[in-house]
Amino acid sequence: MTGNGMSEDHHHHHGSGRVLLWSLVFTTAFAVVELLGGLLANSLALLSDAGHMLTDSSALAIGAIASWLAVRPASARHSFGLQRAEVLGALINVLFMLGVVVAVAVAAVQRLTQPQDVAGMPVIVIAAIGLGVNLTVAWILIQGEQTLNVRGALLHVFGDLLGSVAALVAGTVIVLTGWTPIDPILSLFVAILILWSAGRLLREVLRVLMEGVPRHIDAHEVGDTLARVRGVRAVHDLHIWTLSSSSYALAAHVEIDGIAAWERILPALQALLRERFGIAHSTLQPETERIRNACDADPTCGHVGHAR
């Protein structure tokens, strides 16, 4: 790990932790207000959004803790540090969201089969305030580094924002028409939207945990680019994976004509990886003709990026 890489990672996670903490303060404060308002108005739209926001508070707290852990220095036990903490935080956020979706869906179905009276005007007032709070929190999060943790928090906030809009519409319809089924119907609609977004984030988290190549990086392009560096014959046994949202790692075997040239080739390869692909953590093993011949005799030694 280069000194610059450590500094940049620390800055990214420190910034994301700060915006998560500010978002936590706003979200927790209004969640209590919305919960009391939902009970007063007997509105499922408000209650589900309050539950969503309380879940957001827990998720934001987890995200802030994960961001703090992510900047802890590497140790003998964790050689890459605790950068993956943000990925685990994002995974917990997704699981929380799935729980909220199930709870809202069950309550909505019950309300549809057994309609209840809802006080429309309090719903409108509280939902309008909630919309403003959610827009403020979303703006705070967007200003921060877009790590998986922050994106997970944004997912929660956008869900809250949709919940506030749904509650605002539900309250308006109830005041104008008295049709109370609109309350559970819109709650169910928001739950479906949240489920779709949670599924997208879950796929990305699983991609990281399964050591997948970062979505924006083409492994073949990386191998071919490295193989075009002067003195490099080919690159093989190439592996690229994600450490955190802003940190990637690479390991590869590099075939060269002679070991004497490695002192010049290695810095060129590392600079190319950092500047073109954003890969700051690289482990490159040089191979001479003798080692290359042994590799060619091994059917498990695949090639990515061939000699010029």
Side-chain angles (χ1 to χ4, degrees):
M1 180 188 298
T2 64
N4 288 340
M6 173 65 80
S7 176
E8 290 175 1
D9 289 345
H10 188 281
H11 173 73
H12 290 161
H13 290 296
H14 179 72
S16 64
R18 186 170 57 250
V19 298
L20 287 169
L21 283 173
W22 274 110
S23 301
L24 174 62
V25 171
F26 277 97
T27 302
T28 304
F30 186 73
V32 176
V33 174
E34 196 167 35
L35 177 61
L36 295 175
L39 291 172
L40 177 65
N42 194 32
S43 168
L44 177 60
L46 279 183
L47 289 173
S48 62
D49 199 37
H52 188 184
M53 292 193 77
L54 287 173
T55 303
D56 286 354
S57 297
S58 299
L60 289 166
I62 291 170
I65 294 171
S67 293
W68 176 78
L69 288 174
V71 300
R72 297 301 91 192
S75 65
R77 188 177 182 86
H78 300 283
S79 59
F80 277 114
L82 298 174
Q83 297 184 58
R84 282 284 175 86
E86 67 153 356
V87 181
L88 295 178
L91 178 60
I92 294 172
N93 284 349
V94 170
L95 296 179
F96 270 139
M97 285 304 304
L98 294 178
V100 170
V101 167
V102 171
V104 170
V106 170
V109 171
Q110 291 177 343
R111 286 288 185 101
L112 286 172
T113 56
Q114 300 176 349
Q116 298 184 24
D117 292 333
V118 178
M121 189 54 67
V123 173
I124 292 175
V125 174
I126 296 173
I129 298 173
L131 182 60
V133 170
N134 286 316
L135 287 172
T136 301
V137 173
W139 180 83
I140 292 173
L141 289 172
I142 290 172
Q143 305 309 305
E145 177 70 15
Q146 294 305 298
T147 65
L148 279 177
N149 254 334
V150 173
R151 290 181 58 192
L154 269 171
L155 166 62
H156 286 260
V157 172
F158 283 136
D160 280 334
L161 196 150
L162 289 173
S164 295
V165 172
L168 189 60
V169 172
T172 302
V173 170
I174 291 170
V175 167
L176 295 178
T177 69
W179 192 56
T180 57
I182 188 65
D183 188 61
I185 288 174
L186 289 180
S187 297
L188 196 57
F189 173 71
V190 171
I192 293 172
L193 292 179
I194 296 171
L195 181 63
W196 178 77
S197 298
R200 292 185 60 187
L201 182 61
L202 180 60
R203 285 197 300 270
E204 185 165 349
V205 169
L206 292 178
R207 183 186 185 91
V208 174
L209 295 180
M210 295 301 293
E211 305 287 359
V213 176
R215 190 176 300 277
H216 66 286
I217 295 178
D218 186 327
H220 290 280
E221 180 187 357
V222 173
D224 289 336
T225 301
L226 295 178
R228 287 194 292 270
V229 171
R230 184 167 64 89
V232 176
R233 294 180 59 87
V235 176
H236 65 87
D237 203 20
L238 175 67
H239 303 278
I240 307 172
W241 66 98
T242 302
L243 297 174
S244 69
S245 298
S246 57
S247 182
Y248 314 104
L250 174 147
H253 292 192
V254 182
E255 298 182 10
I256 56 178
D257 292 323
I259 198 66
W262 187 241
E263 185 176 348
R264 172 187 59 81
I265 294 172
L266 177 59
L269 294 175
Q270 291 176 326
L272 182 61
L273 288 171
R274 285 195 306 270
E275 295 167 8
R276 179 163 177 177
F277 300 103
I279 301 174
H281 309 270
S282 58
T283 302
L284 302 170
Q285 177 179 319
E287 292 186 354
T288 58
E289 183 177 0
R290 180 177 61 80
I291 301 175
R292 184 166 63 251
N293 290 337
C295 183
D296 289 340
D298 183 355
T300 66
C301 188
H303 287 254
V304 179
H306 301 284
R308 294 169 294 173

